[in-house]
């Protein structure tokens, strides 16, 4: 049995010890530099509000597990979880509309919740000022975690199974040998270990740095204050229960509230981000204040205190009595950080975890360590999800500070970062700006969403009868009707798409074919010039990615993937006779697609581009005019044409060449919104959104990419059982209906599934969406989708909705 050392006895470390020992890993030692179990870390003073509902299905599942687990914990001093319920109130129309969206997430992720009128809110929470609020969202199972008690209770369970907890034991360094951890250096000497899990809270980044690992978190101060006695609370709660009113969020003012018997606790995110310089922290953990508590800065709290009294007038006769600036971790995208160090086997991290998600994160980490794969999809929290640029200290600081500012903001699903823009641009960037590109940001890249230069085309098409349905205020943000014209023109004429941000690797060497064959579900060991669409599965048969593999030589492949986690997955299993290289940055790509694509490109090319000479899903290394290119006859938008790759220095020349050659054919540059709607029409999935490691190929409708007759491949043995849920295409009835993703789907009166992605289809004049639905769902079944409180009817459609005969592509 492996020897496990867990660094940190906060809520994460203790929960992890419990989960590991429950799975038979009983040789667990948990070390903490502080005393047990009030260690001095963030857990020691967390007020413990647990609101389960989150836009992320995974984070919501983590929270649900925490509620379930803590609710069953036993501690001699009393409860570890008090399900007082959660109430989020709206004081602005925007928030009120957004609470409808939140209610949709709760429904979709299986959390009981209900929207309340202002009067009902006051019934739940009589201290609220009725006139301040428009309504609220109530979740009865939310509540308070007594974090230190929950930590201790979990530690006791772990101890009963053999775990050891050592206070006042500080890890000073990690011991390693031959690419594996072998132990930790502590102030009490070396402790041997086969597995070390860093659950050191906001200290974790420093520790990980010692072993060459970037854990992108920023310790940030956050204000928490307790008032003196509140008359209106006197007699409501016992010392034991502490609270009876729902935990409360007033997100319009960045505030939250809970009762402490007859006092009120108020947390505020309304102040400026206050990143903490770790070198200034106290090292002593024993006394008060703790190293994770900084002195209260009263001036930062003044506006919060004012707003708190507006919402809860009963606070007016009280004062702030105890307050501090507490420290906990923020990350660039708000998600936790989990996984194993790639270069140092056995070194794991479980960092930037709220109390809310702690038990869920611990369970998934324990499964990952013991079984090799977590039972739920954790890609949003994966240690290796970050692009290189996102690991720079500057990026981490700026984006984590932004995450603090936005923690309670209403975030549109297409809203993109404002800071640190322009970091990754394709060679076509200047041309795109000239065409009035509206840029979205993704993975650090500037990506045109649509081009203002196509406004005239849009007007012309509209005059000719193309429908441009008006959108509501919410869905028309980060959107333009021009995208409808761009999509239409891709189906009718020809368009150029910047595909440079599509992550691609060169996989080469004597063992390349065998390696890719082992890693993927489809047969990729085909002739030079072949292109194969295939899947990467984990050991449980879950989809880790969908990729294309182009064979450019006997031992050379170009593999186009979904992002950094694919590099990580390949790297971990890379044999010595294979070289893996990310070539995204040094190359670029233009997708030229549409019925006129061949007319436009053939005159530039010395090779025959006819349907028979250059078949669908084939690759060719050739020239366009004088420019060396690799062409793939692949089209994520489902049209005739090619992905045309070249190295970066030819990029601008390639763009100009194609733009000029396309002029007689009316070529346009088209953006991501058109691209997305076209791929949805065509039935193509987007990994991470439509399907994840939670799903096997059959469920996601991707069985066609799995060759069960092939020799062994990763995940093959786990494929089998018929899925309970399947991914289906639905088409809305009302042309004005929209969905943006994560909406609940209803049938027979109950919620049966959820939308993943959606786009307005210029081809059918309706929004088309993907949704996870029960396996027995039939074509033509009617479902209802709740879009921010509005119900839209949709019909389950056969796939793909557009061009099932493939006649548009294969011509
Ligand atoms: P910690 O509790 O900090 O535990 C890490 C442990 O590692 C510490 O005990 C530390 O002593 C130990 N350690 C560090 N370095 C070493 C070393 N080198 N050797 C040995 N031991 C080491 N979350 C919610 O869900 N709901 C809330 O309402 C909430 N409110 C909060 C309010 C405030 C004011 C603050 C500050 C945080 C709040 N949080 C809340 C966040 C929550 O407290 C933290 O995210 C959570 O407690 C982190 O738990 P942890 O186990 O990762 O870290
Ligand atoms: N282009 C390339 N690689 C990619 C993508 C891409 N890799 C990542 C991601 N996008 C993968 N997604 C898809 C999804 C569908 C298709 C291609 C990439 C596709 N599917 C054909 C179909 O289903 O009809 C496959 C047919 C077949 O297997 O023969 O084209 O955009 N280079």
């Amino acid at each position: 049995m492996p020897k496990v050392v867990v660094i940190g006895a906060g809520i994460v470390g203790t929960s992890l010890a419990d989960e590991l020992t429950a799975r038979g890993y009983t040789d667990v030692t948990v070390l903490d530099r502080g005393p047990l179990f009030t260690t001095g870390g963030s857990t020691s003073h967390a007020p413990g509000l647990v609101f389960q509902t989150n836009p992320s299905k995974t984070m919501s599942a983590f929270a649900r597990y925490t509620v379930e687990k803590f609710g069953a914990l036993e501690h001699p001093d009393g409860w570890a979880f008090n399900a007082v319920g959660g109430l989020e109130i709206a004081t602005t129309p925007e928030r009120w509309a957004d609470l409808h969206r939140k209610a949709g997430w709760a429904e979709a992720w299986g959390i009981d919740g209900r929207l309340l009128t202002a009067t009902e809110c006051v019934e739940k929470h009589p201290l609220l000022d009725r006139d301040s609020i428009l309504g609220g969202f109530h979740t009865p199972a939310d509540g308070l975690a007594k974090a230190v008690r929950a930590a201790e209770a979990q530690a006791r369970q772990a101890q009963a199974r053999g775990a050891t907890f050592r206070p006042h034991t500080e890890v000073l360094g990690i011991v390693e040998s031959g690419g594996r951890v072998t132990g930790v250096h502590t102030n009490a000497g070396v402790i041997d270990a086969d597995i070390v899990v860093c659950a050191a809270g906001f200290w974790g980044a420093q520790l990980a740095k010692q072993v060459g690992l970037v854990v992108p978190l920023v310790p940030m101060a956050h204000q928490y204050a307790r008032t003196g006695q509140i008359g209106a609370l006197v007699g409501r709660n016992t010392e034991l229960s502490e609270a009876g009113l729902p935990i409360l969020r007033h997100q319009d003012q960045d505030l939250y509230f809970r009762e402490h018997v007859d006092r009120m606790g108020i947390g505020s995110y309304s102040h400026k981000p206050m990143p903490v310089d770790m070198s200034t922290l106290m090292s002593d953990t024993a006394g008060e204040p703790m190293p994770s508590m900084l002195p209260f800065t009263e001036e930062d709290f003044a506006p919060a205190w004012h707003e708190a009294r507006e919402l809860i007038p009963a606070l007016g006769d009280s004062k702030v009595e105890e307050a501090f600036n507490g420290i906990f971790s923020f990350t660039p995208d708000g998600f936790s950080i989990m996984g194993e160090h790639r270069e140092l086997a056995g070194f794991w991290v479980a960092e930037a975890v709220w109390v809310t998600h702690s038990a869920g994160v611990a369970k998934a980490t324990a499964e990952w360590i013991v079984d090799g794969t977590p039972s739920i999809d954790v890609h949003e929290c994966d240690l290796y999800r970050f692009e290189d640029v996102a690991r720079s200290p500057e990026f981490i600081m700026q984006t984590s500070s932004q995450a603090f500012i936005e923690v309670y903001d209403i975030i549109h699903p297409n809203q993109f970062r404002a800071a640190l823009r322009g970091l990754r641009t394709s060679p076509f960037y200047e041309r795109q700006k000239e065409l009035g590109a509206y840029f979205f940001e993704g993975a650090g890249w500037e990506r045109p969403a649509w081009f203002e230069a196509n406004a005239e085309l849009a007007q012309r098409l509209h005059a000719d009868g193309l429908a441009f349905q008006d959108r509501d205020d919410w869905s028309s943000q980060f959107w333009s009707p021009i995208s409808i014209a761009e999509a239409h023109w891709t189906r009718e004429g020809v368009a150029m798409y910047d595909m440079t941000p599509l992550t691609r690797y060169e996989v080469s060497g004597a063992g390349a074919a065998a390696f890719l064959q082992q890693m993927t579900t489809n047969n990729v060991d085909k002739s030079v010039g072949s292109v194969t669409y295939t899947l990467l599965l984990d050991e449980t048969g879950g989809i880790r990615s969908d990729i294309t593999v182009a064979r450019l030589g006997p031992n050379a492949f170009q593999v186009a993937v979904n992002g950094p986690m694919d590099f990580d997955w390949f790297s971990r299993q890379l044999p010595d006779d294979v070289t893996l290289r990310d070539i995204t940055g040094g190359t670029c790509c233009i997708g030229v697609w549409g019925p006129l694509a061949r007319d436009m490109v053939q005159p530039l090319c010395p090779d025959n581009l006819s349907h028979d000479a250059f078949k669908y899903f084939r690759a060719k290394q050739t020239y366009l005019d004088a420019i060396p290119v690799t062409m793939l006859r692949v089209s994520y938008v489902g049209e005739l044409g090619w992905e045309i790759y070249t190295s970066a220095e030819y990029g601008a020349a390639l763009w100009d060449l194609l733009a000029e050659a396309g002029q007689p054919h009316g070529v346009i540059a088209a953006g991501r919104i058109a691209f997305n709607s076209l791929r949805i029409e065509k039935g193509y999935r987007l990994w991470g959104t439509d399907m994840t490691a939670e799903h096997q190929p059959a469920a996601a409708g991707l069985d066609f990419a799995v060759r069960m007759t092939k020799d062994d491949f990763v995940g093959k043995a786990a494929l089998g059982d018929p899925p309970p849920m399947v991914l289906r295409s639905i088409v809305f009835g009302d042309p004005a209906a929209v969905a943006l993703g994560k909406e609940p789907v209803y049938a027979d009166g109950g919620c049966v599934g959820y939308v993943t992605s959606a786009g307005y289809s210029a081809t059918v004049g309706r929004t088309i969406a993907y949704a996870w639905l029960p396996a027995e769902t039939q074509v033509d079944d009617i479902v209802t989708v709740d879009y921010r409180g509005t119900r839209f009817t949709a019909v389950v459609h056969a796939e793909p909705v557009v061009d099932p005969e493939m006649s548009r592509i294969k011509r």
Side-chain angles (χ1 to χ4, degrees):
M1 190 198 310
K3 248 178 133 47
V4 184
V5 162
V6 176
I7 309 171
I11 197 70
V12 176
T14 50
S15 192
L16 185 60
D18 183 38
E19 297 287 340
L20 282 169
T21 53
R23 285 169 178 72
Y25 275 33
T26 51
D27 189 351
V28 174
T29 307
V30 183
L31 310 176
D32 204 292
R33 60 206 283 274
L36 297 175
F37 283 88
T38 304
T39 63
S42 306
T43 305
S44 301
H45 49 65
L49 290 80
V50 177
F51 287 94
Q52 298 171 83
T53 309
N54 187 289
S56 158
K57 178 169 182 273
T58 295
M59 296 302 270
S60 299
F62 285 159
R64 263 173 33 206
Y65 182 68
T66 303
V67 165
E68 181 193 314
K69 186 177 189 192
F70 286 13
L73 289 175
E74 288 184 8
H75 192 284
D77 295 344
W79 54 274
F81 189 76
N82 185 357
V84 290
L87 180 63
E88 309 200 20
I89 49 110
T91 60
T92 61
E94 293 76 18
R95 180 69 61 180
W96 181 228
D98 203 53
L99 287 182
H100 288 74
R101 185 167 66 125
K102 188 164 256 180
W105 298 332
E107 184 82 83
W109 313 148
I111 295 162
D112 186 25
R114 201 164 70 82
L115 291 161
L116 303 183
T117 64
T119 304
E120 290 171 318
C121 290
V122 177
E123 282 164 16
K124 294 272 182 224
H125 202 305
L127 270 55
L128 289 172
D129 174 41
R130 162 74 183 73
D131 295 338
S132 297
I133 56 186
L134 300 174
F137 177 56
H138 181 248
T139 39
D142 287 352
L144 286 166
K146 194 84 179 164
V148 174
R149 236 180 248 165
E152 182 168 0
Q154 292 178 94
R156 297 290 175 236
Q157 295 182 171
Q159 273 172 329
R161 299 187 201 103
T164 312
F165 287 77
R166 293 177 59 170
H168 309 295
T169 309
E170 178 162 9
V171 173
L172 305 168
I174 311 297
V175 195
E176 53 178 282
S177 167
R180 281 208 64 91
V181 286
T182 57
V184 291
H185 281 292
T186 75
N187 55 349
V190 169
I191 301 174
D192 293 338
D194 306 303
I195 293 170
V196 172
V197 189
C198 183
F202 65 81
W203 288 273
Q206 281 186 333
L207 268 170
K209 199 173 172 188
Q210 291 190 27
V211 288
L213 193 63
V214 176
V215 171
L217 64 79
V218 178
M220 207 86 79
H222 152 61
Q223 296 196 297
Y224 192 74
R226 288 183 193 216
T227 66
Q229 195 177 63
I230 309 282
L233 288 181
V234 172
R236 285 194 75 100
N237 305 307
T238 63
E239 288 291 330
L240 185 64
S241 71
E242 289 184 32
L245 297 175
I247 54 173
L248 180 67
R249 270 180 175 167
H250 179 19
Q251 296 190 297
D252 293 316
Q253 295 297 340
D254 293 316
L255 295 175
Y256 64 84
F257 303 86
R258 62 158 287 186
E259 294 159 279
H260 294 279
V261 192
D262 54 4
R263 288 144 206 273
M264 194 64 95
I266 306 169
S268 167
Y269 293 105
S270 71
H271 51 83
K272 63 187 179 296
M274 301 193 261
V276 175
D277 177 357
M278 295 290 286
S279 66
T280 65
L281 291 184
M282 290 191 315
S283 55
D284 180 24
T285 60
E288 289 272 343
M290 302 169 185
S292 59
M293 294 168 95
L294 296 175
F296 188 56
T297 49
E298 200 175 342
E299 64 284 6
D300 292 313
F301 196 72
W305 181 233
H306 173 78
E307 292 299 338
R309 280 175 302 170
E310 293 283 308
L311 182 71
I312 303 181
L315 298 176
D317 34 319
S318 178
K319 293 200 304 281
V320 169
E321 278 196 351
E322 293 166 60
F324 62 100
N325 291 5
I327 308 171
F328 71 110
S329 305
F330 276 80
T331 58
D333 54 11
F335 287 103
S336 299
I337 302 173
M338 306 162 61
E340 186 184 16
H341 194 328
R342 186 162 72 227
E343 277 89 34
L344 184 61
F347 186 87
W348 293 75
V349 299
E351 294 290 352
V353 184
W354 287 21
V355 172
T356 302
H357 309 111
S358 57
V361 166
K363 175 171 183 254
T365 303
E367 291 169 339
W368 204 344
I369 292 171
V370 175
D371 307 330
T373 314
S375 64
I376 71 170
D377 168 62
V378 298
H379 82 274
E380 291 163 311
C381 298
D382 195 291
L383 169 60
Y384 287 97
R385 69 186 181 272
F386 301 98
E387 301 281 338
D388 281 347
V389 64
R391 287 200 295 265
S392 63
E394 182 62 24
F395 190 100
I396 295 167
M397 180 58 78
Q398 281 214 31
T399 54
S400 301
S401 298
Q402 192 61 28
F404 179 92
I405 293 168
E406 290 176 355
V407 67
Y408 278 1
D409 286 2
I410 299 167
I411 306 290
H412 191 281
N414 295 336
Q415 177 174 330
F416 291 94
R417 201 181 56 242
L420 285 172
R421 292 293 298 265
L423 284 169
R424 303 178 91 181
T425 59
S426 81
F428 324 130
Y429 184 58
E430 292 306 320
R431 304 296 188 271
Q432 291 164 344
K433 281 202 293 195
E434 285 163 18
L435 295 173
Y438 181 94
F439 290 100
F440 284 178
E441 181 274 344
W445 287 97
E446 294 298 328
R447 320 190 75 171
W450 69 84
F451 292 88
E452 289 297 333
N454 296 324
E456 266 176 54
L457 172 72
Q459 271 163 14
R460 186 152 50 82
L461 293 174
H462 190 42
D464 290 349
L466 182 65
F468 284 81
Q469 190 64 49
D470 279 343
R471 289 195 151 203
D472 66 288
D473 287 349
W474 178 250
S475 64
S476 57
Q477 289 180 51
F478 308 100
W479 187 83
S480 165
I482 292 172
S483 63
I484 298 175
E486 293 176 357
H488 177 82
W489 197 246
T490 308
R491 296 257 182 265
E492 294 293 312
V494 60
M496 288 162 54
Y497 288 85
D498 182 359
M499 296 293 287
T500 304
L502 172 68
T503 308
R504 51 199 167 270
Y505 308 144
E506 179 188 87
V507 180
S508 59
F515 171 65
L516 289 171
Q517 198 71 333
Q518 168 67 21
M519 296 298 290
T520 68
T521 57
N522 210 339
N523 179 27
V524 298
D525 191 1
K526 294 188 296 212
S527 62
V528 171
S530 65
V531 181
T532 310
Y533 174 71
T534 184
L535 309 175
L536 305 181
L537 305 184
D538 64 29
E539 295 291 349
T540 69
I543 305 169
R544 278 201 63 113
S545 192
D546 69 333
I547 67 171
T548 58
V549 177
R551 188 167 211 170
L552 301 181
N555 295 325
F557 295 83
Q558 181 173 310
V559 179
V561 303
N562 285 294
M565 283 176 56
D566 295 317
F567 193 89
D568 179 53
W569 184 244
F570 280 145
S571 301
R572 286 174 189 273
Q573 302 172 65
L574 202 69
D576 289 342
D577 58 353
V578 182
T579 306
L580 172 67
R581 208 160 61 88
D582 186 332
I583 58 167
T584 314
T587 58
C588 58
C589 178
I590 304 175
V592 179
W593 293 307
L596 303 180
R598 189 177 284 120
D599 299 343
M600 167 179 154
V601 180
Q602 177 65 82
L604 303 172
C605 187
D607 281 311
N608 184 351
L609 302 182
S610 71
H611 178 59
D612 290 330
F614 188 172
K615 292 199 169 68
Y616 181 55
F617 261 70
R618 295 289 297 176
K620 196 186 271 294
Q621 289 176 303
T622 179
Y623 299 89
L624 291 185
D625 196 50
I627 302 171
V629 294
T630 300
M631 292 170 71
L632 264 55
R633 193 163 162 207
V634 169
S635 172
Y636 200 52
V637 302
E639 284 296 328
L640 171 67
W642 306 268
E643 291 173 352
I644 304 172
Y645 296 86
T646 190
S647 60
E649 76 271 30
Y650 299 115
L654 179 65
W655 181 277
D656 292 344
L657 179 70
L658 289 168
E660 198 184 310
Q663 217 171 25
H665 307 283
V667 74
I668 59 165
R672 302 301 299 174
I673 297 173
F675 184 78
N676 190 51
S677 83
L678 293 168
R679 66 101 188 160
I680 291 172
E681 290 182 347
K682 189 66 186 92
Y684 295 160
R685 278 82 169 122
L686 176 61
W687 187 85
T689 301
D690 298 320
M691 76 287 191
T692 67
E694 185 187 330
H695 310 107
Q696 291 201 345
L702 294 172
D703 247 358
F704 71 90
V706 182
R707 275 300 153 87
M708 288 307 278
T709 52
K710 198 172 100 169
D711 283 349
D712 197 31
F713 56 83
V714 178
K716 183 181 178 187
L719 296 179
D721 298 342
M725 301 275 281
V726 292
L727 188 68
R728 304 298 298 259
S729 284
I730 61 174
V731 179
F732 288 88
D734 180 351
V738 289
L740 297 178
K742 304 180 192 248
E743 293 87 359
V745 182
Y746 298 82
D748 306 324
C751 177
V752 294
Y754 60 92
V755 171
T756 55
S757 54
Y760 177 80
S761 162
T763 312
V764 302
R766 301 281 191 279
T767 290
I768 305 177
Y770 288 115
W772 282 97
L773 294 172
E776 58 275 15
T777 305
Q778 303 286 323
V779 166
D780 292 337
D781 281 359
I782 303 292
V783 296
T784 328
V785 173
D786 185 313
Y787 167 76
R788 299 168 89 232
T790 305
R791 295 284 177 114
F792 290 121
T793 302
V795 58
V796 177
H797 202 288
E799 280 193 47
V801 177
V802 169
D803 195 26
E805 312 80 24
M806 302 289 280
S807 60
R808 306 194 66 88
I809 298 189
K810 297 188 181 177
R811 58 170 142 188

